[in-house]
């Protein structure tokens, strides 16, 4: 059920002293709203925590006559829980949060790289030694002798030939392929 709440044309402004207020501030003061769906995880997050992360994005979206009911629907199974009305609504809030630098882009979150690693990767003058794969903390290793790296590179390339692989898995293997190729090139240059 989409709730057409806090419409400034609907007279709810008077409920807040008759002065213009953004719709998000009104929602924060209303006990009907207890949790909101996180656009990244899909989990119900308490209103205060949701506001701490996405509050500025909500202020930007709900300023003026935009109604909360355009993005969120009340969960009929859980009182006070508000879920995104659809995937477009979820994407809209997430995109605004990224633009405001409240959260990282989805690809960056999935890549799991630090800001330092990202700046090194994106730098046009990055030496191959900076791209050398690091030893895994899970017992495995990507670094090693050139022969070991070549075997792993060949396996990664063969895995990339699988057309039924998810795009997330493909991106991960592509990163590994680039890293192994750079490490092999560096190993050849140093000999």
């Amino acid at each position: 059920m989409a709730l057409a709440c806090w419409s400034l044309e609907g007279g709810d402004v008077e409920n807040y002293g008759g002065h213009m207020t953004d719709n998000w501030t009104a929602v924060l003061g209303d006990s009907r709203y207890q949790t909101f769906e996180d656009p990244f995880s899909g989990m119900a997050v308490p209103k205060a925590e949701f506001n701490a992360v996405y509050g500025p994005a909500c202020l930007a979206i709900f300023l003026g006559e935009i109604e909360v009911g355009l993005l969120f629907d009340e969960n009929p199974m859980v009182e006070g829980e508000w879920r995104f009305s659809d995937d477009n609504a979820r994407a809209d809030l997430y995109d605004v949060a990224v633009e405001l630098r409240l959260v990282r882009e989805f690809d960056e979150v999935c890549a799991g790289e630090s800001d330092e690693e990202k700046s090194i990767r994106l730098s046009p003058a990055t030496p191959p030694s900076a791209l050398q794969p690091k030893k895994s903390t899970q017992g495995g290793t990507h670094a090693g002798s050139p022969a070991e790296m070549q075997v792993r590179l060949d396996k990664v390339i063969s895995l990339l030939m699988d057309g039924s692989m998810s795009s997330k898995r493909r991106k991960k293997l592509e990163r590994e392929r680039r890293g192994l190729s750079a490490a092999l090139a560096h190993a050849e240059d140093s000999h």
Side-chain angles (χ1 to χ4, degrees):
M1 161 184 146
L3 183 66
C5 57
W6 311 119
S7 169
L8 297 180
E9 293 175 10
D12 285 327
V13 175
E14 282 78 7
N15 294 339
Y16 287 88
H19 63 286
M20 285 286 285
T21 184
D22 63 84
N23 295 315
W24 184 244
T25 302
V27 166
L28 292 176
D30 192 320
S31 62
R32 290 185 293 171
Y33 303 93
Q34 296 173 11
T35 63
F36 287 89
E37 179 182 4
D38 183 279
F40 186 77
S41 69
M43 302 292 293
V45 178
K47 180 171 44 178
E49 290 178 33
F50 186 88
N51 186 54
V53 176
Y54 299 105
C58 290
L59 280 171
I61 291 172
F62 299 126
L63 191 61
E65 296 183 21
I66 303 295
E67 301 171 2
V68 175
L70 293 175
L71 288 184
F72 294 99
D73 290 332
E74 187 172 15
N75 182 347
M77 303 298 284
V78 180
E79 185 177 341
E81 181 177 294
W82 293 80
R83 313 282 301 162
F84 284 103
S85 55
D86 58 29
D87 287 337
N88 289 334
R90 176 182 289 106
D92 288 345
L93 180 63
Y94 192 78
D95 289 346
V96 172
V98 169
E99 287 173 19
L100 294 175
R101 298 178 185 215
L102 302 173
V103 295
R104 293 178 182 250
E105 291 185 36
F106 184 74
D107 293 344
E108 290 180 39
V109 173
C110 291
E113 64 187 358
S114 68
D115 288 335
E116 179 184 3
E117 291 169 329
K118 180 181 178 183
S119 65
I120 290 171
R121 177 177 53 83
L122 296 177
S123 172
T126 301
S129 61
L131 296 175
Q132 185 167 352
K134 298 176 183 175
K135 290 194 176 197
S136 169
T137 58
Q138 298 173 344
T141 181
H142 291 267
S145 71
E148 290 172 325
M149 286 189 285
Q150 185 62 53
V151 167
R152 178 65 187 154
L153 179 60
D154 292 340
K155 182 174 181 179
V156 167
I157 290 171
S158 69
L159 289 171
L160 283 168
M161 299 294 182
D162 180 9
S164 64
M165 169 185 322
S166 71
S167 62
K168 183 178 175 181
R169 174 82 171 132
R170 180 170 300 285
K171 287 178 184 179
K172 183 177 179 181
L173 287 171
E174 271 299 322
R175 283 192 305 273
E176 185 174 0
R177 184 194 58 77
R178 286 192 305 268
L180 286 166
S181 295
L184 279 169
H186 178 68
E188 290 172 4
D189 289 344
S190 63
H191 284 99

